[in-house]
Amino acid sequence: MKEHSQPIISALVFIIFALVLLMLPALNAAAEISFNCNLYNSEDSVSADLLGDNLRFSAYAELNPDSIYYSGGGSSTEPDCSYSYTITNNGKELASGAKTNSGELMFQSQVISNYNGEGGKAFDLSLKNLVANGVLNSHYSNPDLSVEKATDLNMAIYAENARMGADQMQSLGSGVTLVFDDAEAENEAVTSGNGNDAAENSGSGQNSVTKGITQTVSVESRGRNNVIETNLHGDVDAVWMDGVMAKGSDYYLASAITGVSRSTQDEMEMLGKSTGFPTQRLPPGEIDLSFKEIGDEDFSKDEIEKLLEDFQEEQDRFNEDLQLNSNTALWYYLNQKATVNLGNDDPTDDPDISLAGRYFNMHMRFGVDG
Amino acid sequence: MKKILLYAVMLIMLASAAEGASDTIASTISRLVSYETDFSALRTISDSSVSTPDLNFMSTGQVDSSIQFSSPSTAKIEQGTSFEGIRNGNFGGLASFSSSVSGQGVTGTSSSITGTAYATASNPTDAGMVQSISSGICMADPGSDEYEISINGGHSTLTNAPIQPTSVSSGSAKSITASVTMNLYPLVFEVPADNFYQDVNLDLKMENDNLAGYSYDFSQAIELADTTCESGMNLFQII
């Protein structure tokens, strides 16, 4: 026990916050809530600000001349909800906020300074957000960096959690596209609030509905911005993850997605933007594919032979394609030919894969040494 | 009845034993290292084919890579093509192409790959011979007087194909061709990248009378000031 605590002040503060704790849930019916408090003693100061919609919030605080204990947190009460919360300790600020039209939000914070007279300190904020078939915009920050995420989903679900202190942050999000049976899928496609209709090739089973993932994750630190955008739309199924890890002003931002796309019309893209960098793109280029039956005369053509017959033409083409002003510096030619006896080795069969589609994974990572 | 079944099984076994199996692998690899250069470009062209009594498969390909620097630096470009003709129950083949580019102080890069594969299960050039041919050419603009360039390749063929041509399809055998082109998005840096590395591998697979699919692996790493960006993608298109 603290020998020099002032029980009267402590009790008074406790009562006030106990009242706040009891009253705020009752304000749910009004949909909007706000909260503000400031605590300080000769050593430390703590303040908290909250503005929320469809939110349940509770807080507890104990103030003594040589110690402060504060704990506050909230959670959503309706799928359509939002909040903005800031907690400050001796001038350092942790903040979080989120808004969704189809999800759940939750956050928790604490500030401890010499509580129980043991000299220990704590200052952290953690949060969890979830969205299903809707939109989630979230942000959180500490004194070194701020994270912003915008997630818009159709037939998909995503959850994120983050924990931060004054000089560190860990954030991890993950999502998956949803699979429904035909009836549910058609119903979802019609009633979805994102304006996406059922795929034109409906009737092909559980994957006949257009699914969509649009996500932007942005980290800002010391005036520099790193952004990764992920877009996946169409007859697709995927799981994806994103993460931010920071210690001081060193951090990395990463995203990864893996899945299958069943139509060449599907949109599938990951973009990375960073100060000074050209835009990083995945897929990394364009693919042109053709296939046809041919006659035997086409099969017998010999590209190398043709090339050697007209050296100058190929040299000119090389220079022209690469926009060179000088002549090609070097030619090397390698030719091998072998005739072998018939052998008796048994071959091994390759496994047959018959599920058509584009199976893919994309990943991108920005790392900053602050 | 049991005898009939036994004869049927024996006939099936004999038919299987008569089935030939051939596997040919060939490759061409070219490499260019340029020192104190501000531009470097390499092109590799390959042509490989295998002819056995039961399979003809051919692949041609071209790989282009170029890299630009803000001030003279070291460029490394390595390109590879490989080819595999297969006949074991199925017939077809795999054509693979790759490009790897790296350097310091990079201001721009550009790469493209064009590969074509041809296959047929009929009309071998010589029913009594098993022959594989692999050719490769590389051209380079090293952009400086100091450079190292090499091209090498190899191939092997393993077969127990029957001496006479075999019909592999119940219907008429046909020749097929598939081609794939991959043009990587060019990169232009306003601020030269301290370090740059890019690697891409592209495969084209044919099986029986059809294009089976294509796949690629891509990886890239860029260091610029205090920021690094690593990205990668694998894609496997099954048709």
Side-chain angles (χ1 to χ4, degrees), chain B residues 142-153:
Chain B
S144 72
D145 294 332
E146 243 189 295
Y147 55 83
E148 301 166 35
I149 188 166
S150 66
I151 179 169
N152 61 70

Side-chain angles (χ1 to χ4, degrees), chain A residues 224 301 334-336 343 358, chain B residues 118 134-136 159-160 226 237:
Chain A
R224 294 184 62 178
K301 68 180 180 181
L334 173 75
N335 180 267
Q336 300 173 90
R358 288 184 294 170
Chain B
Y118 308 87
S134 177
S135 300
T159 181
N160 63 355
D226 60 358
Q237 166 86 63

Side-chain angles (χ1 to χ4, degrees), chain A residues 137-311:
Chain A
N137 293 315
S138 61
H139 63 86
Y140 31 94
S141 63
N142 68 11
D144 292 313
L145 74 161
S146 64
V147 176
E148 280 200 24
K149 287 188 189 181
T151 306
D152 189 347
L153 305 178
N154 186 37
M155 306 291 281
I157 187 168
Y158 173 80
E160 66 171 329
N161 61 68
R163 182 181 177 87
M164 71 204 85
D167 63 351
Q168 49 82 27
M169 180 185 291
Q170 301 95 38
S171 161
L172 182 66
S174 60
V176 61
T177 53
L178 301 174
V179 176
F180 296 102
D181 61 31
D182 286 353
E184 281 180 307
E186 286 172 15
N187 186 46
E188 284 289 338
V190 170
T191 58
S192 168
N194 295 328
N196 290 314
D197 296 324
E200 290 180 2
N201 58 343
S202 60
S204 62
Q206 64 184 18
N207 297 308
S208 61
V209 172
T210 297
K211 300 175 185 178
I213 302 164
T214 304
Q215 185 176 57
T216 302
V217 184
S218 171
V219 178
E220 193 275 331
S221 177
R222 298 191 304 171
R224 294 184 62 178
N225 222 25
N226 286 305
V227 182
I228 296 179
E229 297 176 15
T230 303
N231 296 298
L232 186 68
H233 299 275
D235 187 3
V236 295
D237 275 306
V239 295
W240 78 101
M241 297 181 72
D242 64 83
V244 176
M245 297 286 281
K247 186 167 181 57
S249 53
D250 294 351
Y251 70 91
Y252 75 76
L253 158 68
S255 284
I257 184 166
T258 184
V260 59
S261 154
R262 299 180 189 83
S263 167
T264 54
Q265 304 301 314
D266 296 339
E267 181 186 2
M268 183 171 65
E269 175 182 69
M270 185 177 282
L271 301 175
K273 298 172 183 173
S274 178
T275 308
F277 278 72
T279 299
Q280 305 294 295
R281 292 176 183 275
L282 295 175
E286 292 178 351
I287 290 274
D288 182 21
L289 184 70
S290 66
F291 172 77
K292 64 177 181 180
E293 292 187 32
I294 58 169
D296 290 339
E297 67 279 6
D298 292 323
F299 179 80
S300 63
K301 68 180 180 181
D302 187 335
E303 293 287 340
I304 297 288
E305 198 172 293
K306 278 168 51 185
L307 189 154
L308 287 171
E309 285 172 2
D310 198 345
F311 173 91

Side-chain angles (χ1 to χ4, degrees), chain B residues 19-70:
Chain B
E19 191 88 345
S22 304
D23 193 355
T24 290
I25 298 173
S27 65
T28 300
I29 296 168
S30 56
R31 186 169 185 266
L32 171 68
V33 182
S34 311
Y35 302 96
E36 296 299 309
T37 185
D38 58 2
F39 178 83
S40 197
L42 184 66
R43 168 173 292 174
T44 301
I45 300 174
S46 68
D47 183 358
S48 299
S49 68
V50 58
S51 173
T52 72
D54 58 354
L55 170 68
N56 276 347
F57 184 74
M58 186 172 98
S59 155
T60 66
Q62 177 174 310
V63 184
D64 281 308
S65 308
S66 67
I67 187 166
Q68 298 164 347
F69 302 89
S70 59

